[in-house]
């Protein structure tokens, strides 16, 4: 179990670096960062809730991503101030965009499929 948690942390860390790079390199389309955000959330959820079934992690991650996006419709002064910080901008985003919801579905699905394939391979190797 500890080994699995390390794998999820590694995936989370690599995705975090790729996500930051996707925002720093101007030639990378912005939607890639949104897809990677969802991948990051999925692996973060797997890291935190290691015993949760993958399909439940998928749903929880998607719910989290959608909630953050919908929260961008809320324009409260203190929330706007948090969004203006670098970390707040990375976590909470800036403004609601419908296309981001599609990116979150794609990213969460990609992470889920990678995870599912790795688990399947790991189970076959342990036989």
């Amino acid at each position: 179990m500890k080994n699995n948690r390390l794998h999820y942390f590694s995936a989370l860390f690599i995705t975090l670096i790729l996500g930051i790079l996707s925002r720093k390199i101007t030639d990378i389309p912005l939607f890639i960062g949104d897809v990677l955000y969802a991948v990051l959330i999925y692996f973060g959820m797997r890291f935190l809730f290691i015993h949760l079934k993958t399909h439940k992690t998928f749903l929880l991650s998607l719910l989290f991503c959608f909630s953050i996006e919908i929260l961008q419709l809320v324009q409260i002064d203190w929330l706007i101030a948090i969004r203006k910080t670098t970390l707040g901008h990375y976590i909470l985003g800036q403004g609601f965009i419908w296309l981001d919801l599609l990116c979150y579905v794609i990213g969460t699905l990609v992470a889920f499929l990678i995870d599912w394939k790795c688990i399947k391979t790991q189970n076959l190797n342990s036989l």
Side-chain angles (χ1 to χ4, degrees), residues 41-60:
I41 297 302
Y42 179 88
F43 287 128
M45 293 290 182
R46 289 296 286 160
F47 175 78
L48 292 174
F49 307 111
I50 195 92
H51 296 292
L52 204 60
K53 294 188 181 292
T54 53
H55 70 278
K56 289 183 180 179
T57 305
F58 172 83
L59 292 174
L60 183 63

Side-chain angles (χ1 to χ4, degrees), residues 38-102:
V39 171
L40 175 83
I41 297 302
Y42 179 88
F43 287 128
M45 293 290 182
R46 289 296 286 160
F47 175 78
L48 292 174
F49 307 111
I50 195 92
H51 296 292
L52 204 60
K53 294 188 181 292
T54 53
H55 70 278
K56 289 183 180 179
T57 305
F58 172 83
L59 292 174
L60 183 63
S61 301
L62 206 53
L63 178 65
F64 182 87
C65 290
F66 276 39
S67 297
I68 292 295
E69 191 65 26
I70 291 167
L71 187 62
Q72 292 174 20
L73 293 170
V74 177
Q75 299 298 318
I76 302 170
D77 290 338
W78 62 268
L79 201 50
I80 294 169
I82 292 172
R83 288 185 190 126
K84 287 183 180 180
T85 66
T86 301
L87 187 59
H89 178 74
Y90 281 142
I91 295 171
L92 299 176
Q94 204 59 28
F96 180 84
I97 301 172
W98 282 103
L99 186 58
D100 286 353
L101 299 176
L102 177 61

